[in-house]
Amino acid sequence: MARYTEPIMKRCKALGLEPAVLGVFKKSKRNPKKSNRKKSEYAQQLQEKQKAKFVYGVNEKQFRNLYARAERMSGQTGWNLLKLLELRFDNVVYRMGFARTRAEARQLIVHGHFLLNGEKATIPSMTLEVGDQVNVKQRSRQNGFFAS
């Protein structure tokens, strides 16, 4: 699977994001370059799409499939897309506070530390539904990572 390997600070600076959004609490010592040129509508839309993909750790094909699902749902497509991104298993684990970053949450899921509705789940891209129960495995609770 393709993974994003560029330095996080560099990508945050290019997209105009605060690194804290991704769970990175470092400050850049460099001054950002400000451009006086106005971005076109397409450039603004592309940048917002890239921000969403980068923040949620989703590849282009996954993003395209999520967009297609959001389009088929009733309501506004943009809100539906955000809802689908927020309901991903890795994002739910991150929001619950088990991991400091979404990448860390993804790794914890792949390593099999979580149960979804009482069964082992190792796919971070799973879409959860309201009412699903996410628990840390009993054996993993003894691990120092989950001690607190």
Side-chain angles (χ1 to χ4, degrees):
M1 183 175 105
R3 286 195 44 203
Y4 179 78
T5 58
E6 188 178 13
I8 290 175
M9 296 292 288
K10 186 175 188 178
R11 190 68 177 160
C12 285
K13 184 178 172 186
L15 293 173
L17 284 171
E18 286 292 322
V21 171
L22 301 170
V24 177
F25 298 101
K26 295 194 305 189
K27 290 284 184 186
S28 176
K29 295 176 182 145
R30 300 176 184 208
N31 294 328
K33 293 181 182 176
K34 294 286 182 178
S35 176
N36 293 335
R37 288 182 64 174
K38 184 180 179 211
K39 289 185 179 176
S40 67
E41 183 71 25
Y42 175 75
Q44 290 173 351
Q45 290 174 355
L46 179 63
Q47 187 173 24
E48 290 303 316
K49 175 187 156 191
Q50 288 174 337
K51 275 184 194 178
K53 281 173 43 181
F54 179 64
V55 167
Y56 288 99
V58 178
N59 291 328
E60 180 65 31
K61 189 169 185 178
Q62 292 172 316
F63 195 80
R64 205 176 313 135
N65 290 338
L66 282 171
Y67 182 80
R69 277 180 57 195
E71 243 181 349
R72 289 191 301 266
M73 293 168 66
S74 63
Q76 291 184 336
T77 306
W79 289 112
N80 291 339
L81 178 62
L82 285 176
K83 188 188 304 183
L84 289 173
L85 285 169
E86 285 290 328
L87 286 174
R88 283 173 50 102
F89 193 19
D90 54 355
N91 191 67
V92 170
V93 168
Y94 167 71
R95 293 284 187 200
M96 289 173 68
F98 287 121
R100 291 182 296 261
T101 64
R102 287 181 179 87
E104 190 176 273
R106 186 177 187 86
Q107 185 177 27
L108 291 172
I109 292 168
V110 169
H111 286 195
H113 292 291
F114 291 97
L115 298 174
L116 180 61
N117 296 328
E119 295 185 22
K120 183 178 174 182
T122 59
I123 302 170
S125 62
M126 289 173 55
T127 302
L128 304 186
E129 295 177 6
V130 176
D132 283 345
Q133 289 189 349
V134 177
N135 299 320
V136 179
K137 279 175 52 177
Q138 190 65 30
R139 188 171 169 195
S140 297
R141 289 180 190 170
Q142 299 162 356
N143 186 346
F145 189 83
F146 294 105
S148 61

